[in-house]
Amino acid sequence: MSEGFAVKHDEDACLFETVHDGHRGILTYLLDTEASPPLMTIDHTGVPPAVRGLGMAAALVAAAFEVAGRRGWRVRPACSYAAAWAHRHAAVAGLLA
């Protein structure tokens, strides 16, 4: 579901990242482990202008939702891009908080 990009998840930093042609895209989140089930709040998705439109941001958000689904987390897409992506992908509706 990472849409053609190799996305790495740094759980300690609450960060997903991918690099394309030397350009780094990131997605950051906050994780509330006190919530039941745990709640991932996606607070930022950033892609350099030189690689916008290639699907990098979509790959980052897809990877975040994939991890959340596997771990039983709910997701709050506070970032406008992540919210728009989730709206376009009905398959993740059950994960939304």
Side-chain angles (χ1 to χ4, degrees), residues 4-86:
F5 289 87
V7 177
K8 295 180 183 175
H9 180 205
D10 181 342
E11 192 167 349
D12 293 332
C14 293
L15 172 80
F16 288 85
E17 67 180 323
T18 190
V19 177
H20 181 72
D21 287 340
H23 299 280
R24 179 175 177 248
I26 63 166
L27 177 148
T28 60
Y29 65 93
L30 305 168
L31 183 61
D32 181 357
T33 57
E34 299 295 316
S36 182
L39 176 64
M40 169 193 269
T41 299
I42 299 173
D43 61 352
H44 177 70
T45 305
V47 172
V51 290
R52 287 194 181 141
L54 300 179
M56 184 183 275
L60 291 162
V61 176
F65 271 90
E66 185 176 339
V67 167
R70 277 197 325 262
R71 298 197 178 165
W73 300 346
R74 304 279 293 175
V75 180
R76 176 180 297 134
C79 157
S80 61
Y81 180 86
W85 184 94

